[in-house]
Amino acid sequence: DTAVSQTPKYLVTQMGNDKSIKCEQNLGHDTMYWYKQDSKKFLKIMFSYNNKELIINETVPNRFSPKSPDKAHLNLHINSLELGDSAVYFCASSQGGLVIDTQYFGPGTRLTVL
Amino acid sequence: AQSVTQPDIHITVSEGASLELRCNYSYGATPYLFWYVQSPGQGLQLLLKYFSGDTLVQGIKGFEAEFKRSQSSFNLRKPSVHWSDAAEYFCAVGLHNTGTASKLTFGTGTRLQVTL
């Protein structure tokens, strides 16, 4: 069984569109994350939720809005997509929010904005 | 703010040869250090982590890493590389914020190529 899953795996869209990426974890973890990996493989955290509550919100444009309907899901909605949003987006989860809690990553969603 | 430097963007080794991937960190306090591996088209998988205690840490898949405070380094090693080790390797430093979630700061990665 997949521990952290993301849909879709690939997403190609036009500038200005709105899109969502879904993430689900079946590990029973309390904390979930969204990371962005750019074309140079640089990985940077965007958001973190603990028990559906937003606890980390890095410097991310307001066009990005995470939503956590329950502990097992953390979706990422992006409005008015721009070329610079093209990247691989990774979802991750951990048992708690402590640094010692291992983060488990999903397979990633490759977003291409044309 | 903490930062991580991986000086080598790309390394090629022969199968069976030893491997060392370099990682240097900048952090004001005792760091929490991690190595992750990303296989092509996959998410990241934790290889090992260091919090305290023995400075030589054993991980999965035969990897180990040594924390050297004097050099601000946490280099990853493997005695004998297998072709399946070809992947991207990321070093990360963790910052724990009391009352909030931890944050990992990643290096830019080292791509390992293994020749047969």
Side-chain angles (χ1 to χ4, degrees):
Chain A
D1 287 339
T2 303
V4 182
S5 59
Q6 296 178 226
T7 53
K9 191 171 177 61
Y10 300 96
L11 186 54
V12 181
T13 188
Q14 300 286 333
M15 270 198 311
N17 285 350
D18 303 337
K19 290 294 179 185
S20 292
I21 306 172
K22 295 185 177 182
C23 176
E24 176 181 1
Q25 54 95 2
N26 62 5
L27 298 168
H29 288 169
D30 289 337
T31 306
M32 297 184 72
Y33 311 80
W34 276 111
Y35 287 86
K36 178 181 180 181
Q37 186 177 49
D38 63 22
S39 58
K40 296 184 178 180
K41 297 277 188 174
F42 182 60
L43 195 66
K44 184 172 169 58
I45 190 167
M46 301 172 69
F47 302 103
S48 173
Y49 269 74
N50 183 272
N51 278 319
K52 303 195 302 176
E53 180 184 347
L54 180 66
I55 50 176
I56 290 178
N57 186 349
E58 292 295 283
T59 308
V60 178
N62 291 336
R63 299 182 294 103
F64 289 79
S65 54
K67 285 188 172 50
S68 182
D70 55 59
K71 262 181 26 172
H73 296 84
L74 180 61
N75 304 324
L76 183 65
H77 188 75
I78 316 170
N79 291 326
S80 303
L81 278 156
E82 301 178 357
L83 292 176
D85 298 331
S86 294
V88 181
Y89 292 84
F90 286 100
C91 177
S93 72
S94 62
Q95 181 60 57
L98 301 178
V99 68
I100 60 174
D101 295 316
T102 298
Q103 294 187 23
Y104 294 83
F105 284 76
T109 295
R110 182 174 293 277
L111 171 65
T112 303
V113 182
L114 303 175
Chain B
Q2 71 272 27
S3 66
V4 179
T5 302
Q6 293 181 246
D8 305 305
I9 296 173
H10 187 196
I11 283 183
T12 300
V13 300
S14 300
E15 189 175 37
S18 63
L19 171 70
E20 182 168 31
L21 301 182
R22 296 184 291 166
C23 173
N24 293 98
Y25 67 89
S26 173
Y27 187 53
T30 300
Y32 298 92
L33 295 162
F34 306 79
W35 274 101
Y36 280 84
V37 60
Q38 183 181 19
S39 298
Q42 304 293 317
L44 280 74
Q45 181 184 22
L46 180 68
L47 285 175
L48 47 80
K49 56 189 176 184
Y50 170 79
F51 297 137
S52 63
D54 193 346
T55 56
L56 186 62
V57 181
Q58 301 298 320
I60 62 171
K61 305 185 180 186
F63 285 93
E64 65 177 27
E66 186 171 13
F67 170 60
K68 292 185 177 180
R69 184 187 299 276
S70 61
Q71 298 177 19
S72 297
S73 69
F74 188 56
N75 294 347
L76 182 71
R77 300 194 295 246
K78 187 169 184 178
S80 177
V81 170
H82 188 263
W83 64 266
S84 60
D85 292 324
E88 192 91 23
Y89 290 81
F90 292 92
C91 182
V93 61
L95 169 66
H96 175 63
N97 293 317
T98 303
T100 65
S102 65
K103 291 198 296 186
L104 294 182
T105 297
F106 286 86
T108 49
T110 297
R111 184 177 178 188
L112 173 65
Q113 185 175 356
V114 180
T115 58
L116 299 176

